[in-house]
Amino acid sequence: HGDFSLGIRTFSAWIIILLRGFPEAVSTRLDAVSLESAWTVERAERWWAMHRPLPADARRVAEVLLSQEGRELRIGPRVRPRG
């Protein structure tokens, strides 16, 4: 994000074109969009590393920490250190 701005009408039109089976038309239009810096494979990989959706079976850290799994497991009585 940052250097890519696209109006909602334009975006909606591209989605309709894709749904109608004309992906090459969207590709042509995307190629015409000017960016402040080039969109490279490395840049795409960084973006996906930050924005990749979680797998359906993944759990968020907060959920685990707030569950019983996040609590300390104690077996037997608590022992106080001598000293």
Side-chain angles (χ1 to χ4, degrees):
H1 90 49
D3 63 354
F4 182 72
S5 178
L6 180 66
I8 191 67
R9 286 181 181 213
T10 302
F11 182 74
S12 297
W14 288 359
I15 297 301
I16 290 169
I17 290 169
L18 279 173
L19 291 174
R20 290 186 178 164
F22 299 104
E24 64 281 348
V26 173
S27 178
T28 301
R29 290 178 185 205
L30 282 173
D31 288 342
V33 173
S34 63
L35 300 173
E36 289 178 19
S37 57
W39 187 255
T40 63
V41 171
E42 294 80 16
R43 191 169 166 202
E45 288 172 352
R46 275 196 315 270
W47 189 92
W48 278 109
M50 292 175 26
H51 297 92
R52 186 173 316 280
L54 291 173
D57 60 345
R59 295 175 57 204
R60 301 205 180 272
V61 172
E63 180 185 331
V64 173
L65 292 175
L66 294 172
S67 72
Q68 294 294 326
E69 298 167 75
R71 295 202 171 96
E72 179 183 346
L73 176 63
R74 283 191 236 158
I75 301 173
R78 179 175 263 177
V79 178
R80 291 187 186 165
R82 294 183 187 198

